[in-house]
């Protein structure tokens, strides 16, 4: 049998040039598309954006009275996303550690496959389950059931499978580098995971946490179906709330004039929040690559 290196031919210089040009064109196209999208949203909401006190200065959203305060919906968006991440991060790490190091090869492989299936389920299906199962359960505890708590739990259920898969990949890479050495030093499996692999994985997990936070901020259908859609401050877990994404989905179909501009301003604000998260994730990813070297 010939060595593997002799079976793999290097691409010709012309092929390399074409491939690099294609990759650069693809990256440029995506960048231009994002800039055009941002420019469109900015232009569509400009008549509203240049008066920030008009839309960030209050919490009352009443288009018929020309009142477009977004603070309550912004707070509901941020609180629901933050609480969902507070649930998902520790649970996701525990599940990923169990599946990779303690579940056994067959069970761990099957569990990761199940997480992949759950990650591909459309958000509207999670919302439908929450509306028909979760909301009645919460209603039995504290009416009306459709509430901030329902939104948090649905967001957590949606984010958990993806986060488990990302954590599993980070732990697998850390184990490839450090697990054998940790065991050779006399550490038990649990001690090696806790003291060596988990700290080594955290640098790669920070971008994943930030990206999933961005997904939670941008989720629409599921939270629209279970949160109650009442524009008010999130005063408690059982209080119905409305997020910015749900507000856009509910009112864009009939909004006109300044009302429509206000909804575009909501989208602009969400894009700004997600952009900041993406920049933070990119910075964390760069730190992780530097630490790996």
């Amino acid at each position: 049998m010939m060595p593997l290196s002799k079976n793999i031919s290097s691409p010709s210089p012309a092929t390399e040039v074409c491939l690099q040009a294609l990759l650069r064109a693809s990256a440029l196209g995506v960048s231009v598309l994002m800039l055009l999208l941002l420019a469109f949203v900015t232009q569509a909401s400009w008549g509203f954006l240049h008066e920030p006190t008009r839309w960030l200065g209050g919490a009352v959203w009443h288009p018929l009275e020309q009142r477009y305060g977004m603070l309550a919906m912004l707070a509901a968006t941020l609180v629901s996303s933050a609480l969902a991440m507070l649930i998902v991060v520790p649970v996701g790490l525990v599940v990923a550690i169990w599946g990779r190091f303690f579940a056994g090869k067959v069970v761990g492989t099957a569990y990761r496959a199940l997480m992949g299936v759950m990650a591909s389920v459309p958000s509207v299906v999670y919302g439908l389950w929450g509306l028909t199962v979760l909301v009645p359960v919460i209603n039995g505890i504290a009416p009306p059931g459709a509430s901030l708590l329902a939104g948090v739990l649905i967001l957590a259920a949606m984010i958990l499978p993806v986060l488990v898969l990302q954590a599993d990949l980070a732990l697998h890479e850390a184990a490839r580098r450090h697990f054998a050495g940790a065991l050779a030093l006399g550490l038990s499996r649990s001690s090696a995971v806790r003291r060596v692999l988990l700290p080594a994985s955290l640098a790669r997990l920070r971008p994943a946490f930030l990206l999933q936070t961005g997904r939670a901020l941008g989720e629409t259908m599921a939270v629209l179906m279970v949160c109650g859609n009442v524009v008010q401050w999130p005063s408690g877990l059982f209080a119905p709330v409305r997020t910015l994404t749900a507000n856009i989905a509910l009112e864009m179909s009939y909004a006109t004039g300044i009302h429509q501009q206000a909804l575009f301003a909501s989208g602009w604000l969400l894009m700004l929040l997600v952009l900041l998260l993406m920049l933070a994730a990119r910075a964390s990813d760069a730190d992780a690559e530097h630490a790996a070297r």
Side-chain angles (χ1 to χ4, degrees):
M1 179 181 291
M2 296 180 63
L4 182 61
S5 59
K6 294 184 178 180
N7 291 331
I8 301 176
S9 59
S10 300
S12 65
T15 303
E16 288 187 357
V17 171
C18 292
L19 180 59
Q20 290 178 5
L22 178 62
L23 293 175
R24 289 194 183 99
S26 301
L28 179 61
V30 172
S31 301
V32 170
L33 180 61
M34 291 302 301
L35 289 175
L36 289 175
L37 179 60
L38 181 60
F40 168 75
V41 175
T42 303
Q43 185 273 334
S45 57
W46 183 249
F48 202 79
L49 285 176
H50 74 279
E51 300 180 18
T53 56
R54 184 176 186 179
W55 52 289
L56 287 178
V60 178
W61 179 272
H62 204 302
L64 294 179
E65 298 178 0
Q66 299 294 303
R67 304 179 71 180
Y68 300 102
M70 299 181 190
L71 286 182
M73 292 183 288
L74 176 61
T77 302
L78 295 175
V79 170
S80 60
S81 300
L83 291 178
M85 292 304 298
L86 285 176
I87 295 173
V88 165
V89 169
V91 173
L93 288 176
V94 169
V95 171
I97 290 170
W98 171 80
R100 173 59 60 179
F101 300 107
F102 299 100
K105 185 175 181 180
V106 175
V107 176
T109 301
Y111 200 81
R112 286 188 289 275
L114 176 62
M115 291 292 103
V117 172
M118 291 180 64
S120 65
V121 174
S123 61
V124 68
V125 176
Y126 282 100
L128 183 62
W129 175 83
L131 183 64
T132 56
V133 177
L134 185 60
V135 168
V137 171
I138 298 176
N139 181 62
I141 301 172
S147 59
L148 174 64
L149 177 60
V152 168
L153 295 178
I154 287 297
L155 286 176
M158 292 174 55
I159 295 170
L160 181 63
V162 180
L163 192 65
V164 168
L165 294 175
Q166 291 174 322
D168 179 78
L169 288 175
L171 289 167
H172 175 66
E173 178 63 20
R176 187 180 67 82
R177 293 171 177 266
H178 307 296
F179 196 38
L183 295 179
L185 291 173
L187 292 177
S188 65
R189 179 179 292 265
S190 59
S191 296
V193 171
R194 186 176 69 255
R195 298 181 180 181
V196 178
L197 302 186
L198 190 57
S201 303
L202 287 180
R204 294 182 178 274
L205 286 172
R206 284 197 300 269
F209 298 156
L210 293 171
L211 289 172
Q212 294 309 309
T213 303
R215 183 189 178 190
L217 288 172
E219 176 53 40
T220 303
M221 285 305 300
V223 294
L224 186 152
M225 298 171 73
V226 302
C227 281
N229 298 314
V230 178
V231 181
Q232 62 179 1
W233 289 101
S235 57
L237 287 175
F238 297 103
V241 295
R242 181 185 294 186
T243 63
L244 287 172
T245 53
N247 190 54
I248 295 171
L250 285 170
E251 301 188 7
M252 184 58 79
S253 61
Y254 62 86
T256 58
I258 193 67
H259 183 194
Q260 187 180 68
Q261 292 181 15
L263 294 176
F264 274 111
S266 301
W268 186 89
L269 182 59
L270 284 169
M271 287 187 66
L272 178 62
L273 291 174
V274 174
L275 177 61
L276 292 175
L277 282 173
M278 297 304 103
L279 291 175
R282 184 67 187 89
S284 297
D285 195 27
D287 291 342
E289 292 179 1
H290 180 73
R293 293 172 185 172

